[in-house]
Amino acid sequence: MSDAVAEAPVADAAAAEIDASLPYNNAVPGAVLGRWAEESDGGLIVAADKLIPLMTHLRDKEEYDFLSSVTCVDYSKYGGKLRAGVSERFDTVYHLYSTSKGGGHVKLHVRVPENDTVPSATAVYPGANLQECEVYDLFGINFEGHPNLRRVLLWDGFNGHPMRKDWHEAYYDEDAKPFKSRHPAKGYEFHEDKLPWGKNTTYPEGWDPEDWREPITYVPVSQAPGHDELGELDTESIVVNLGPHHPSTHGVFRMIARIEGETILALEPEMGYLHRNHEKIGERNTWLMNMPYTDRLDYINSMSNNLGLALAVEKLMDIEVPERASYIRIIMAEFTRVINHLWSIGFILNDLGALQTPALYAIEEREMILDLFEEVSGARLMCNYMRFGGVVRDLTPNWIKRALYLVHERLPHTLDELDRLLSGNEIVKARGKGVGYLSPQDLIALSISGPMIRAAGIPYDIRKVDPYCIYDRFEFDVPTLPDGDIYARYYIRLLEARESLKILRQALRDIPGGEVQGLPAFASATIEAGFGTIMGGRGGYSFRPPEGEVYQRIEAPKGELGYFLVSDNKANPYRYHVRAPSYINLNGLGPMSVGYKIADAIVILGAIDIVLGEVDR
Amino acid sequence: MYGTGLLKGLGITLKHALDTFRDDSKDVPSRYADSIQLDNRRRIIEQPIDQEGLLTIQYPEEKRLLPERFRYIPMLIWDTQKNEDLCTACGICAKVCPPQCIWIVRDADENGRPVARPAEFYIDAAVCMSCSFCTEFCPFDAIKMNHDYELAVYDRYPQLVYDKEELTVPVEYYAALWPSQYAAEEEVRQRKEAEARAKEEAKAKAAAEKAKAADAPAQKRSPEELQALKEQAAAKAKAARSGGAAGGEDAEAKKARLEELKRKAQERAKQRKEQGE
Ligand code: SF4
Ligand code: SF4
């Protein structure tokens, strides 16, 4: 600890007095030091040394068994008033939810001085694993007691921690967009002119790229409860790299597996090949500019990514959304879910070796939905359709008619056909049943969400337990299957797609009339007012949300997609963090694969259903 | 019985295969039903939403009919009546552009005072993310999304850095690509004009104007017309891009031209600064 730390208020306050009016202080004395950003969606400030006891209490006594998000904020350039007098540079932020009670979160902030360490939450929630690695990688925070703290997105020769506010990339322009050089002519330089190569790479001190060998210290370790007694690795076991360039990895992704014969002893995911520091870009961008960037996260589901961000900013700014726009949003989000589940069913089968046929049948139907997306938004994949306060444009005439045809005729037929084609297939059953099993408790502990846990019998769906948008108006079930294996993960998606069709039928039936009938369909774009008028008038592209922070999660097709935003009342988000379901679900990949054959690892990965755009961000 | 699931599945694939063959053996397969034949090989296909059988199309001979809102790379609109750019170099599009790929130089008159028109206008199409924010926020309807998606070139730079000349299209081209949007904008424009006039003129006359405006530009483009327009635009773009010989020299020439433009822009900026001081 440095000198600054010794006199930091954290230690003082904890020692001085215990405020019993703060929650949980009776159970874990001195754990909660105060409240943070109460005006908005704030949280509790927690003493670093009491973090683990508090988390244990919350998990065991208060049923907060699900650690949704772990992230960090570097407050060194924070412009708001709330941090006045606080000397610690970083806050690590934890969002806890309860899968049994449902409802909202408990948010913990731990203040961390520079160069200090925080106790690792993996002791209580093994699911903190990858997220803490990410915080370590991008912020340089050390988590004490983390079993395998490593650079997970960047490589070991990367200099610095890019999410720190004082880190600048090569060809750095300015801290915030819009950049001044673009208009009206202040000497914009083509970046290409600054090439060729070379000058844009720096290495950490004492680092020599020539000497670098990939560290083998992290011979895959498994961390799930119940899987840590692997014992001695057999001397005859070998390490096999699956990927990064391999079609089965669904992108550029690597699994490092230690195998004996064909049996997997341990497996570790290795990602970051598609890392572009989405969050740093997001903090340079204005609030609105982030919308098209979210398309590029999980590029199969741009509509639901859009929805998550829109809801988060609306929560932060208290924006009301017109009725019709909410319906349109639900329709798009559910169509996206159908697309995603069709796609993932197709590709689970692909990974099982049913090369292309089921996948192509599934994709055919996806094309029809994409046609609809393209018609309203102008793009099939990168829809960029939602805006804060609505959607960008109303539906086109006839759109609803076509959508109705899809949800009443075509898609149910397709789902039935896929069901007939696959569900009874003996090969699918033989390869899927009992493979990749993980108990429900382990899944929750590993922070896994979405269809993955519903396939293990946990009826946890954010649309039901913590409804957002207008989901509480629709009748639908949350299907679950008890088995928790590959086959269940395939089948649950089919069932969920059917439920989505149910929602779609209701939404398409109930949607109120459009512009023609005098109902504002959308807040953000009318020919009359000019496109993009959010807060009135043509300057709607730039606005300053009030100081505070917000965490908004939605049930994205792949699991819990969360946006954590911090505003210091500027035109750019101070912190923009995406809780990516694909990434966090990979926590389970190792534990799920251990003991199965190497060919199964491919399907196990396929059934998690990852998209690398979202994993690597 | 073991194997029944498999056989059932095979039955479904067989049905799909037969469907496709049956469909293809017709004189006009269902995927060609609403398509437009351009010549023996080329077609524009509008896929019906209930299509069965084969769904793939034979690009590049066959192409999809794009919906109006399709967005690709922006284009600048040239007002053919007034013979000028609609753009006023206000810079809003450059401000909202998420990847900051628009670069505008405002024009200046002889005395160095800024004029509301762009001297240069660049979009780096390799960086553009086709978000269409620029078009949403432009207050003058001066920048719109083009439908031309065949932009492949050998080098990213400078070919994909489009200058004003390459970006500019006549307003008729826009009206043909985006008929209903254009009509709606036109209506608003007309109405605003009419309203302004109404302050001075009699109400009856203003109403007549409106009625006239409403039915003027609303016809839907015919696909042939669209194709013709597209070809025209493509030819124009090609001419603009090649400006003579193709290949290496071309790139060199363009690079030199860009260098020259950059130099000029910087000079102008410097001049302005000096004058300002
Ligand atoms: S295109 Fe529109 S927004 Fe951009 S500078 Fe010209 S007038 Fe302004
Ligand atoms: S479409 Fe988007 S990325 Fe492309 S130039 Fe316009 S604002 Fe920029």
Side-chain angles (χ1 to χ4, degrees):
Chain A
M1 279 199 171
S2 66
D3 293 352
V5 177
E7 50 193 65
V10 171
D12 287 350
E17 59 190 274
I18 294 161
D19 185 349
S21 68
L22 291 166
Y24 313 123
N25 261 353
N26 295 332
V28 189
V32 180
L33 304 177
R35 294 180 192 273
W36 161 251
E38 284 168 89
E39 304 284 285
S40 59
D41 180 21
L44 303 171
I45 303 166
V46 176
D49 53 343
K50 296 278 167 45
L51 178 66
I52 299 304
L54 179 63
M55 281 183 162
T56 316
H57 169 77
L58 286 169
R59 183 192 61 182
D60 297 339
K61 300 275 152 47
E62 310 267 348
E63 298 180 55
Y64 284 101
D65 52 355
F66 187 78
L67 175 68
S68 163
S69 141
V70 180
T71 186
C72 180
V73 187
D74 171 7
Y75 281 105
S76 59
K77 296 200 176 158
Y78 191 69
K81 299 188 188 79
L82 291 175
R83 288 284 293 192
V86 180
S87 62
E88 290 91 347
R89 176 170 180 186
F90 300 101
D91 267 18
T92 50
V93 185
Y94 306 83
H95 290 88
L96 305 175
Y97 285 91
S98 165
T99 57
S100 44
K101 291 196 298 194
H105 57 240
V106 170
K107 181 192 303 202
L108 311 177
H109 271 248
V110 176
R111 296 199 161 145
V112 194
E114 207 166 345
N115 304 323
D116 205 0
T117 58
V118 194
S120 166
T122 48
V124 189
Y125 300 103
N129 179 357
L130 284 178
Q131 300 197 72
E132 287 187 345
C133 286
E134 182 190 321
V135 172
Y136 165 73
D137 194 356
L138 302 182
F139 286 93
I141 304 273
N142 268 305
F143 291 92
E144 209 174 321
H146 188 288
N148 186 16
L149 203 59
R150 62 188 169 107
R151 297 209 91 145
V152 68
L153 295 172
L154 303 164
W155 75 306
D156 299 68
F158 191 89
N159 192 16
H161 300 285
M163 284 308 292
R164 292 186 171 202
K165 289 284 174 182
D166 53 7
W167 186 92
H168 292 155
E169 73 280 22
Y171 308 138
Y172 163 79
D173 248 292
E174 271 176 66
D175 266 342
K177 290 175 187 173
F179 298 145
K180 294 188 185 64
S181 57
R182 304 299 195 266
H183 173 82
K186 288 199 182 127
Y188 173 83
E189 280 181 274
F190 289 97
H191 282 172
E192 282 80 350
D193 287 351
K194 298 181 191 167
L195 297 177
W197 332 113
K199 302 279 177 266
N200 61 354
T201 314
T202 51
Y203 296 111
E205 225 172 290
W207 173 273
D208 184 1
E210 299 296 316
D211 290 345
W212 187 69
R213 295 282 169 277
E214 184 163 19
I216 39 168
T217 42
Y218 60 92
V219 171
V221 222
S222 165
Q223 287 158 13
H227 284 276
D228 48 2
E229 70 289 347
L230 282 172
E232 287 293 296
L233 296 183
D234 195 297
T235 43
E236 281 177 51
S237 68
I238 53 165
V239 173
V240 172
N241 260 311
L242 294 114
H245 298 287
H246 192 278
S248 74
T249 57
H250 297 239
V252 204
F253 175 76
R254 187 156 67 120
M255 296 186 274
I256 307 161
R258 178 165 287 275
I259 56 170
E260 192 174 64
E262 292 227 344
T263 307
I264 299 168
L265 296 183
L267 186 145
E268 186 79 11
E270 176 67 40
M271 64 285 267
Y273 300 94
L274 204 59
H275 180 63
R276 56 227 186 254
N277 215 337
H278 181 84
E279 296 179 7
K280 185 89 176 176
I281 299 173
E283 289 169 19
R284 295 255 153 94
N285 282 345
T286 62
W287 294 89
L288 180 69
M289 283 178 190
N290 278 329
M291 193 52 85
Y293 278 95
T294 61
D295 293 343
R296 278 93 178 147
L297 285 167
D298 172 359
Y299 40 75
I300 314 275
N301 302 312
S302 61
M303 287 288 191
S304 43
N305 300 341
N306 282 185
L307 177 61
L309 181 63
L311 289 173
V313 174
E314 281 155 11
K315 195 160 153 192
L316 190 64
M317 301 183 63
D318 240 338
I319 303 174
E320 209 177 316
V321 182
E323 189 82 340
R324 182 173 166 89
S326 290
Y327 274 92
I328 297 179
R329 286 175 170 192
I330 299 270
I331 291 169
M332 298 303 168
E334 292 306 318
F335 264 133
T336 292
R337 196 180 314 274
V338 176
I339 289 183
N340 182 76
H341 287 353
L342 283 172
W343 177 276
S344 88
I345 289 170
F347 282 84
I348 291 174
L349 265 292
N350 231 10
D351 291 341
L352 276 173
L355 268 187
Q356 304 305 352
T357 305
L360 284 180
Y361 289 179
I363 290 176
E364 265 184 10
E365 304 309 313
R366 171 175 175 257
E367 288 303 315
M368 294 305 167
I369 304 178
L370 291 184
D371 277 347
L372 290 182
F373 283 2
E374 189 181 27
E375 194 172 313
V376 289
S377 75
R380 301 173 83 78
L381 292 182
M382 305 294 144
C383 297
N384 186 22
Y385 184 55
M386 304 199 188
R387 297 288 184 274
F388 313 130
V391 297
V392 65
R393 276 166 226 197
D394 200 0
L395 304 175
T396 48
N398 254 341
W399 195 91
I400 294 202
K401 214 174 101 209
R402 296 167 62 198
L404 280 170
Y405 167 75
L406 279 191
V407 302
H408 283 284
E409 316 259 333
R410 187 159 184 137
L411 293 174
H413 175 76
T414 309
L415 291 176
D416 291 346
E417 193 182 77
L418 277 176
D419 199 355
R420 265 182 289 138
L421 172 65
L422 304 171
S423 303
N425 188 303
E426 283 78 7
I427 303 174
V428 177
K429 283 183 176 163
R431 289 288 311 277
K433 292 229 169 181
V435 176
Y437 175 78
L438 211 55
S439 73
Q441 296 77 16
D442 287 358
L443 288 168
I444 295 285
L446 286 167
S447 299
I448 292 170
S449 55
M452 294 285 289
I453 55 172
R454 293 191 285 272
I458 305 166
Y460 188 67
D461 185 318
I462 301 168
R463 291 174 294 171
K464 277 275 191 226
V465 299
D466 188 11
Y468 52 93
C469 214
I470 52 166
Y471 271 111
D472 41 6
R473 296 187 196 173
F474 301 104
E475 247 170 68
F476 63 101
D477 299 323
V478 178
T480 55
L481 293 170
D483 309 322
D485 55 14
I486 298 291
Y487 186 84
R489 284 171 206 153
Y490 142 70
Y491 200 58
I492 196 81
R493 295 195 159 99
L494 202 70
L495 298 179
E496 285 190 11
R498 288 202 176 120
E499 292 303 317
S500 289
L501 292 184
K502 239 193 236 174
I503 301 178
L504 280 168
R505 278 183 215 126
Q506 297 169 43
L508 287 167
R509 182 193 66 205
D510 298 342
I511 183 168
E515 241 192 346
V516 194
Q517 282 153 43
L519 277 174
F522 33 80
S524 50
T526 59
I527 296 264
E528 195 66 35
F531 285 106
T533 45
I534 301 157
M535 313 294 123
R538 300 254 188 197
Y541 50 84
S542 167
F543 46 85
R544 294 157 186 259
E547 188 179 352
E549 64 180 41
V550 75
Y551 182 72
Q552 172 70 46
R553 56 182 194 152
I554 64 165
E555 184 69 41
K558 293 189 163 61
E560 178 176 330
L561 172 70
Y563 287 90
F564 173 65
L565 306 173
V566 178
S567 162
D568 61 347
N569 193 13
K570 296 270 157 57
N572 311 74
Y574 186 76
R575 178 85 177 93
Y576 165 80
H577 172 69
V578 183
R579 187 242 189 239
S582 298
Y583 177 67
I584 293 163
N585 285 356
L586 282 174
N587 272 324
L589 180 63
M592 263 179 227
S593 311
V594 170
Y596 297 101
K597 301 280 184 249
I598 190 135
D600 294 331
I602 308 289
V603 207
I604 292 171
L605 175 71
I608 295 181
D609 186 18
I610 60 165
V611 157
L612 269 301
E614 185 179 72
V615 172
D616 293 345
R617 281 159 294 141
Chain B
M1 194 185 74
Y2 192 79
T4 43
L6 251 168
L7 290 175
K8 224 160 75 181
L10 285 174
I12 290 173
T13 44
L14 187 67
K15 179 176 165 294
H16 267 257
L18 292 178
D19 277 354
T20 299
F21 276 113
R22 198 168 328 115
D23 192 27
D24 260 20
S25 62
K26 284 191 223 144
D27 284 347
V28 184
S30 65
R31 65 180 177 285
Y32 290 158
D34 293 329
S35 72
I36 304 126
Q37 182 110 26
L38 295 175
D39 55 33
N40 322 342
R41 283 168 358 123
R42 295 185 313 135
R43 280 172 188 278
I44 296 183
I45 292 189
E46 185 168 16
Q47 250 170 355
I49 194 153
D50 53 357
Q51 198 197 315
E52 302 288 340
L54 191 66
L55 270 129
T56 46
I57 59 173
Q58 307 295 320
Y59 181 82
E61 281 84 18
E62 302 174 352
K63 290 179 184 168
R64 289 176 52 241
L65 182 65
L66 298 170
E68 174 174 338
R69 291 180 186 177
F70 183 80
R71 50 192 159 81
Y72 208 68
I73 300 288
M75 55 191 176
L76 289 173
I77 312 295
W78 178 264
D79 187 338
T80 32
Q81 275 174 7
K82 295 190 190 139
N83 238 344
E84 63 180 23
D85 283 308
L86 285 175
C87 175
T88 60
C90 68
I92 286 176
C93 53
K95 277 187 205 127
V96 293
C97 175
Q100 297 282 290
C101 66
I102 304 184
W103 170 39
I104 305 166
V105 182
R106 191 190 281 149
D107 211 355
D109 63 12
E110 311 82 60
N111 306 322
R113 253 169 306 186
V115 179
R117 103 183 140 232
E120 288 312 319
F121 196 114
Y122 294 102
I123 292 180
D124 189 340
V127 175
C128 171
M129 67 200 297
S130 306
C131 67
S132 100
F133 278 174
C134 47
T135 69
E136 279 169 34
F137 292 100
C138 173
F140 303 96
D141 291 326
I143 187 165
K144 295 289 166 191
M145 297 309 270
N146 203 336
H147 287 189
D148 182 13
Y149 52 84
E150 291 168 325
L151 307 178
V153 282
Y154 280 101
D155 291 301
R156 179 188 146 162
Y157 177 72
Q159 278 95 324
L160 281 178
V161 179
Y162 291 161
D163 60 15
K164 197 171 119 205
E165 194 184 324
E166 287 162 311
L167 289 169
T168 304
V169 297
V171 64
E172 288 81 11
Y173 175 79
Y174 165 58
L177 279 191
W178 291 72
S180 57
Q181 164 110 1
Y182 179 76
E185 284 169 9
E186 193 65 6
E187 204 186 307
V188 172
R189 263 195 296 274
Q190 304 267 6
R191 193 164 61 230
K192 280 192 180 146
E193 272 173 33
E195 272 165 19
R197 231 170 295 149
K199 284 180 185 167
E200 297 146 30
E201 296 177 16
K203 267 185 187 171
K205 204 181 168 198
E209 278 298 318
K210 255 188 221 170
K212 202 170 118 208
D215 55 74
Q219 313 108 336
K220 199 170 158 78
R221 82 197 124 151
S222 80
E224 291 85 349
E225 200 184 328
L226 168 69
Q227 184 59 23
L229 269 160
K230 278 192 170 174
E231 264 156 32
Q232 221 177 310
K236 181 184 155 288
K238 203 167 151 203
R241 241 166 268 172
S242 58
E249 272 174 32
D250 176 31
E252 284 303 319
K254 173 144 187 225
K255 190 162 176 175
R257 191 163 61 81
L258 281 174
E259 288 300 339
E260 177 63 10
L261 287 171
K262 265 196 283 178
R263 198 185 52 72
K264 269 198 214 148
Q266 273 154 8
E267 241 171 48
R268 220 175 287 137
K270 210 168 116 208
Q271 267 174 17
R272 201 171 307 142
K273 203 169 149 214
E274 278 162 8
Q275 266 159 10
E277 276 160 7

